[in-house]
Amino acid sequence: MSDHTKMIRAGRKHPSMQGAVNPPVHRASTLLFEQAEDLYGTAPDRHYGTQGMVVHDALREAFCQLEQASSVVLTHSGLSACTLPLLAICSAGDHILVSDNIYGPTRKFCDEHLVRFGVKTEYFNPRAGNKIAEQIKPETRAIFMESPGSLTMELTDIPAIVALAKANNIWTLVDNTWAAGWFFKPLLFGVDFSIQAATKYPCGHADVLMGTIATKSAKATKLLKSYDRASGNFVAPDDAWLILRGMRTMGTRLERQQQSSLQVANWLQEHACIAQVLHPALPSHPDHMLWKRDFTGASGLFSLVLQPVCEQKVLAFLNTLQLFGLGFSWGGFESLAIHCDPQTVRTCDSWQAQGPLIRLSIGLEDPDDLIADLEQALKQLDK
Ligand SMILES: Cc1ncc(COP(=O)(O)O)c(C=O)c1O
């Protein structure tokens, strides 16, 4: 079955649904038992609300099918899905390798908080491939990748790094938010933890925060589940219901966002104010061949490098956009734009750009309208 069909059918067979198409929302902390003997027994398998109810099971099943995982942990934000497995894996004295293009708050967590527990983070060039072998130490415990990076769009040779990690008994984690589990399936490439901010494409409507961590091996699952239970992690049933609802249409949205983003990216490539369009599906992207080898498609998030221009003009360009909202996050039905300077946070010297960077998240509007909007706003750069 294709992912489209799987996402329509997942999690819809449970007696408590009583014929309804969608699972019920149980708001529950206490779960009652028939008899005292069951309180500390092994059955039933749900003892307390933190384990989740039918709607959580249904959502976990959908993500298991999407990521081809044996188990999925739901977390209360995409960021917590990045930090939770690191806390599950690392101990004092460990060293971890993190891609220099990693999501900024994950970087902050490593630098300001993991370090307090005696875990040292070292960054690597996301395009270094198996040259990162030089950075591996006897105490290296994990390699955390994000491909493509959500601002600068560099891709990582994940199979090469997984091979290196396996040879050295190191855990691998991938922030898979850009591909949404739809266009790339890290677990099939031997990655141990596939992480997503379900806030983005699975939600699709900019109204829920959630994260997911998918695992396949018994060892990774055991480690993650143990920490998940011990840390008190939980997501609200209403949020789980909304994410599951988003997943029913995620494939259709992604297909349109892929098409529209390519149309917009191709148009921008020809514009005189643009130095470079960073869209992995464009043959001009420096890592296009890696994308072609490992991914089955592209989502709607990409970046552009403007020709060198002063900040005032960049702000005027953004302020003149009518159809692009100015805001963080991405993957929703509405188009968004931000500007940023990745050079200020990177430490590996692995990112240099000719001019300012703009990131666009392409939504479900008509791409011709989006192009017209960009065209009128880009005039601010010529003034
Ligand atoms: C690549 C990436 N990972 C993780 C996150 C965190 O997701 P959330 O906003 O749900 O915490 C984001 C958020 O923008 C992101 O861009």
Side-chain angles (χ1 to χ4, degrees):
M1 269 194 287
S2 90
D3 281 349
H4 287 284
T5 313
K6 285 183 188 167
M7 290 309 101
I8 298 302
R9 297 177 62 83
R12 287 184 36 209
K13 275 209 176 106
H14 194 277
S16 73
M17 287 169 66
Q18 299 177 335
V21 171
N22 292 298
V25 170
H26 292 112
R27 295 189 188 88
S29 52
T30 301
L31 302 179
L32 299 173
F33 294 81
E34 288 296 325
Q35 47 190 13
E37 287 82 349
D38 292 337
L39 277 167
Y40 298 101
T42 50
D45 58 4
R46 265 186 251 272
H47 284 82
Y48 194 58
T50 47
Q51 286 164 284
M53 301 296 286
V54 177
V55 69
H56 298 85
D57 292 348
L59 183 59
R60 284 189 283 248
E61 185 189 320
F63 272 105
C64 276
Q65 292 202 19
L66 181 67
E67 297 261 14
Q68 302 204 18
S70 60
S71 175
V72 164
V73 163
L74 308 171
T75 69
H76 50 266
S77 68
L79 178 57
S80 61
C82 297
T83 59
L84 194 139
L86 287 174
L87 289 166
I89 292 170
C90 295
S91 306
D94 285 345
H95 165 259
I96 61 169
L97 285 169
V98 175
S99 179
D100 202 24
N101 62 353
I102 205 76
Y103 174 58
T106 303
R107 184 178 195 115
K108 205 170 161 64
F109 171 78
C110 293
D111 292 346
E112 294 180 13
H113 298 284
L114 265 192
V115 70
R116 293 189 293 113
F117 303 105
V119 179
K120 190 169 180 306
T121 301
E122 191 178 334
Y123 293 93
F124 64 91
N125 180 342
R127 305 184 67 215
N130 53 19
K131 285 203 202 93
I132 75 161
E134 293 158 15
Q135 291 177 268
I136 291 177
K137 301 176 194 290
E139 64 272 25
T140 305
R141 185 90 168 130
I143 303 177
F144 198 144
M145 299 164 267
E146 184 181 319
S147 182
S150 65
L151 290 172
T152 47
M153 297 286 145
E154 301 118 307
L155 271 82
T156 293
D157 188 344
I158 290 176
I161 290 186
V162 166
L164 200 61
K166 286 205 186 303
N168 288 279
N169 207 15
I170 296 170
W171 294 105
T172 47
L173 306 90
V174 168
D175 185 331
N176 192 30
T177 305
W178 182 85
W182 198 274
F183 297 126
F184 181 58
K185 304 202 186 280
L187 302 181
L188 298 187
F189 287 75
V191 169
D192 296 304
F193 300 89
S194 176
I195 294 161
Q196 280 199 56
T199 309
K200 319 298 180 199
Y201 291 108
C203 170
H205 295 74
D207 50 8
V208 185
L209 287 149
M210 197 178 290
T212 60
I213 312 152
T215 52
K216 201 173 164 79
S217 76
K219 205 173 148 201
T221 301
K222 191 171 169 214
L223 195 72
L224 187 69
K225 280 198 165 174
S226 159
Y227 188 79
D228 173 41
R229 289 294 297 279
S231 67
N233 171 52
F234 178 68
V235 304
D238 301 80
D239 289 350
W241 194 91
L242 280 167
I243 297 286
L244 185 61
R245 179 185 194 131
M247 290 182 79
R248 306 296 185 201
T249 58
M250 176 166 71
T252 309
R253 284 185 277 110
L254 276 169
E255 276 182 359
R256 182 175 163 93
Q257 282 162 312
Q258 164 168 235
Q259 265 181 10
S260 300
S261 76
L262 269 168
Q263 189 179 329
V264 175
N266 273 310
W267 180 84
L268 284 164
Q269 268 204 135
E270 303 303 320
H271 198 287
C273 294
I274 312 294
Q276 202 183 0
V277 178
L278 301 169
H279 190 308
L282 290 183
S284 58
H285 187 280
D287 303 320
H288 178 67
M289 293 316 287
L290 274 187
W291 172 81
K292 227 171 149 176
R293 187 191 69 186
D294 297 342
F295 290 66
T296 58
S299 64
L301 188 81
F302 68 97
S303 296
L304 16 142
V305 177
L306 302 176
Q307 297 287 2
V309 66
C310 67
E311 198 190 349
Q312 252 178 335
K313 287 193 178 184
V314 177
L315 298 179
F317 158 68
L318 290 169
N319 286 331
T320 310
L321 288 167
Q322 301 294 307
L323 298 180
F324 287 81
L326 306 180
F328 296 102
S329 203
W330 41 282
F333 58 81
E334 82 298 9
S335 291
L336 295 172
I338 56 165
H339 70 304
C340 60
D341 185 358
Q343 257 141 307
T344 56
V345 289
R346 306 235 341 204
T347 48
C348 282
D349 234 10
S350 56
W351 168 257
Q352 264 118 33
Q354 222 176 310
L357 186 133
I358 304 284
R359 184 181 77 179
L360 300 179
S361 173
I362 301 298
L364 299 176
E365 302 89 344
D366 189 320
D368 290 332
D369 292 334
L370 296 177
I371 289 171
D373 192 27
L374 288 164
E375 188 168 25
Q376 63 82 25
L378 282 167
K379 292 195 174 113
Q380 296 294 327
L381 303 183
D382 284 334
K383 278 189 177 163

